Amino acid sequence: MTRHILHVLCFVSCCITTLHAAEPPVPRQKEWQRVTKAIDEGKPKTGRDVLRGIEQAAITERVWDEVARAIATRVLLENSDRPADDPQRLIDLDAATKTAPVQTRGVLQAIQANWTWTFFQMNRWRFAQRTTQVKSNADRNLSEISSWDIRQIVLEIHDQFEKALSDDRGLKDLPVDDWAMLIEAGSMGKAYRPTLWDVVARDAIAFHQTGERGLVDPEDAFELEASSPALQDVNAFRKWKPAQAEADKQSVTDKDSPVLRVISLYQQVLDFHADDEDQTAFRSADLDRLIWARGVAVADAEAEPDEEFCKALRTFIEQCGDHEISAMARFQLAEIIRSESPAEARMIALKAVDRYPTTIGGKQCHNLIAQIEAKELAVATERTWAKPWPALHVTYRNIDRFHLRLVKADWEERLLEGKPYGYGIDQKDRERILSLPSIQKGTVVLPPTDDYRSAVKEVPVESVFGTETISPGAYWVVCSHRGDFSDRDNIVSTTLVWVSRISAVNTTDYQAQLPQHTGYVVDVESGKPIHGAEVTAWQRDQRSRPRKMV
């Protein structure tokens, strides 16, 4: 699901000249354009001076999103001459947050968390090589972040998100519309992330879903079992306390598990929106929770993740009623059962397309239906055709017949081009093969595949071609489900075969000082050697580019 992203967050990994990619709108659009111009002209001091004016004016007018943006942008400009993996911008933003207006500190804390996360990703290899240091939170000194171990920086990111999401930051009371200057609109509308707190919470969830913990997983690492409330009804999930002891289970000892933190964050989001008149944010968090849980849950004695996921999705769809998010749930359900029952998956997806064709879920279901209904045709056969004649092994789906052509192949020409085999057909080869005259043609009627599954049928070569009139040599067998073999809505496949009455039997004597290769040319039907047979040997020229056969 597309989520809102704080514009300023992405700047840390980009050149400072990309700041103009999201110029804020009024009321100070001209001033922001001056900032952009200063950046483009390589004049960071001019840009900083303009930003200070914007910041003060925005504070006076209480336009807090603009204030936060101005502060963060100013910090970036002040460090524009530093490489992207330099930590000074983190240190400066931390200092600026402490003196910033109270109304902006929550979002600045969130920006700090994301910047620190990006800094960690760019320097993870450095942190991973350091010995773990035992330090308390009281010893935190951000100016020494470059020398921290991996555990310290992961805890710092966690703490930054925790502070940003705490109630005293007031992000729950800030509608996302009021922070348009800082937040990139998602593709699904503001109802899915209605407050600034939702945006930051989803960023925190995304961080903990990476599984980073700064340490090797302990022996008692927490595992999410498929039978747990994580894949059950939303009310059971909200009441669940996985870290506490249950009647038949011991208490969890892995208290710092990223999985536990994701569970807690989803529960917070669900509790926050449980009583909303518009249930969009609640349903969105619930569906995301199920999708995440399916990915991390492990099978136990009572349940399998996919089975519980399907049950939970059916319940979710029923509870959603007429809400558009049910289309996304239908896509998830159809996708998971598609391999076992493509016909049922198609029916599930069709309901979403019929009711919500323009939504994200409706479009996902439309694409899934197109995949299920797609035509499939693949024909395989033995490389050499001789008596007794082999069969064509046809794998097909969603077609009721296919057409065949047998055309003469210029095998020596392919050898000279360095293509001794029938595979590796490019567009030029394909056009040339289709332009060749047909020696014989045939059509094969196939049993229907009403269940949208792939089927396999063996078709004897004698039932399609007149084998008695096929002279020895190389041939292309061209297959198409359209009679005109055109490109439009069609599948055309080719395979190279040899029609021959002789065969070569090769042996190698590895006991000799130099391995000796011995070959016998025999009659295919009788197996008797053919006296006086001439054999031409081809080998790949290693010096030619591309390599050819000579």
Side-chain angles (χ1 to χ4, degrees), residues 11 19-20 72 95 124 131 144 150-151 178 180 186 199 238 265 290 315 336 339-340 418 440 468-469 471 524:
F11 296 160
L19 280 170
H20 64 274
R124 192 186 191 287
T131 305
E144 299 176 355
I150 192 169
R151 173 181 167 276
D178 294 346
V199 178
R238 289 173 58 198
L265 285 166
L290 293 173
T315 301
I336 199 170
S339 59
E340 295 183 1
Q440 293 192 34
E468 298 302 326
T469 62
S471 58
V524 169

Side-chain angles (χ1 to χ4, degrees), residues 151-177:
R151 173 181 167 276
Q152 281 179 288
I153 192 165
V154 169
L155 288 176
E156 172 70 13
I157 299 168
H158 167 68
D159 291 343
Q160 293 285 359
F161 276 123
E162 287 288 301
K163 292 175 183 176
L165 293 171
S166 61
D167 290 338
D168 61 353
R169 294 298 183 184
L171 299 188
K172 290 182 178 180
D173 299 324
L174 303 178
V176 74
D177 280 350

Side-chain angles (χ1 to χ4, degrees), residues 358-379:
T358 61
T359 65
I360 297 294
K363 293 175 181 178
Q364 288 176 320
C365 287
H366 172 81
N367 293 338
L368 180 62
I369 292 170
Q371 294 174 23
I372 294 173
E373 294 179 347
K375 296 177 175 63
E376 176 186 354
L377 176 63
V379 180

Side-chain angles (χ1 to χ4, degrees), residues 16-33:
I16 193 68
T17 57
T18 64
L19 280 170
H20 64 274
E23 281 187 4
V26 292
R28 275 164 286 278
Q29 188 171 7
K30 290 184 179 180
E31 285 83 351
W32 282 103
Q33 289 173 347

